[in-house]
Amino acid sequence: MSKELKITIDGCEMTAQEGRTILEVARENGVHIPTLCYHPRLRNAGSCRVCVVEVEGARALMPACATPVDRDGMVVNTRNERVLAARRMTVELLLASGNHDCPNCASNGHCELQDLAYELEIEHPRFPIQPPDLPFDNSNPMIVRDLNKCVLCGRCVRGCQEVQVNQVIQFGFRGPHTKIVTGGDTDYADSPCVFCGECVQLCPVGAISEKQRMPYGKAFEEKIVRSVCTYCGTGCVVDFHIINGRIVRVTGNEDAEVNRGSLCVKGRFGYDFIHHPDRLTMPLIREGDSFREASWDEALSLVAERLGRIKEEDGPEALAGFSSARCTNEENYLFMKFMRGTLGTQNVDHCARL
Ligand code: FES
């Protein structure tokens, strides 16, 4: 069992379990330390240096996300001038090394670099802006990648390797030529990517984003509605991002126990059916070779009457019902009860049964 230690952060004494990081202890106690490469679902990389803090007795500033609390009496300063100057320098260098043109970026309002610049009161970096001039990857219908906005935090790399275990996204090349590559530096479309979109979800800037949302507005215009994915019975919790009554993108809910932010390709990108003009929005009753629209009351009465008649004339074993993996467990249970209890048949099955 780990020891309890007493440490001081910004003049306040607090208790910390030995081995917890300074960032974790600070957040548990309501102290804000900004981060960029850190993500709670990923292994700590400690690479961006945005979260640096001063640990008294240490010569260099330490990354709070990767520095464990390891002794009683540790004294940490998270907001003095030395710390803020270092964070400003880091963020200014990031801003200068890419094409971070917020007004023209679809992630405007949903960008951790933009938030950092605001928090650190950086209007414009002191350094000349020199984006790497890398080609735009528009090779597939779901994800667009603009590496001129990439901050090399590696969250996409770790998400692909640690969460999805797909190993498609890597750091490629070296030194100033370092960039994120897929499948040995090919387009997404030619890589072994399965398009789960984990990289899109984890990207803190606008370097990897959803293509389908592009024509509909910026991130700051979005309203979020929580729901459950209907593609299978797993029940992943999704957040629908809505602009003007239209779902413009879908993200996995990071707090949901069932999926912790992850989604499959269908759950994340397969939502265009919702607004498709061919989508059925009311019941249809067949009349000869064609269908006519009907009210729910009329349709349900017709189904009840026909099922009752078949049961009466040919017995309950003449009836069978198939339910769907798109329904919830509760709906499938009710369907089974209806078939067995109400109609009296054991002929009930499910499309996902092996
Ligand atoms: Fe700690 Fe990047 S967030 S080093």
Side-chain angles (χ1 to χ4, degrees), residues 34-38 45-51 63-66:
T35 55
L36 189 62
C37 70
Y38 169 82
S47 59
C48 75
R49 284 338 204 222
V50 162
C51 68
C65 69

